[in-house]
Amino acid sequence: MTANNPVVAAFVAAINEGDKAAFEALLAPDATMSDDGSDRDLGQWTEREIFSAGGHFTVESQEPDGLSMLARFRNDTWGEMKTRWRFTLTPDGSKIQRFETGQA
């Protein structure tokens, strides 16, 4: 399943392709994120949990706007787990301002 929102779909594709430059281009300059309810350093977290660990995203279900979803997320460190993702876009809808993830 592909994410309904084009920015979120590009986020998922960048992760699955291991394309860090494409991923970073989707983020607002001051983007933030949280994991299991705790704010994290976005650069350190994405490097450790996604890009250095072979992260892969499979969307299982989502809200109609594509900004909230359940996904199976797999990486070489933790294996596969069901996760919840929520995205906040910039006011013009072109970039990700914040994402929140955690085990579902």
Side-chain angles (χ1 to χ4, degrees), residues 54-93:
H56 190 271
F57 209 111
T58 303
V59 177
E60 289 192 331
S61 65
Q62 60 189 305
E63 294 298 316
D65 64 4
L67 297 178
S68 181
M69 65 182 62
L70 289 176
R72 289 190 327 271
F73 184 76
R74 172 183 50 78
N75 70 24
D76 298 337
T77 303
W78 304 108
E80 185 172 288
M81 65 189 81
K82 186 173 265 192
T83 55
R84 181 174 329 235
W85 295 76
R86 188 171 67 199
F87 299 88
T88 303
L89 302 182
T90 55
D92 68 0

Side-chain angles (χ1 to χ4, degrees), residues 35-54:
D35 181 14
D36 286 327
S38 296
D39 280 1
R40 307 286 185 190
D41 179 284
L42 188 138
Q44 290 176 0
W45 187 91
T46 56
E47 183 60 36
R48 182 182 66 248
E49 300 291 334
I50 297 172
F51 295 105
S52 291

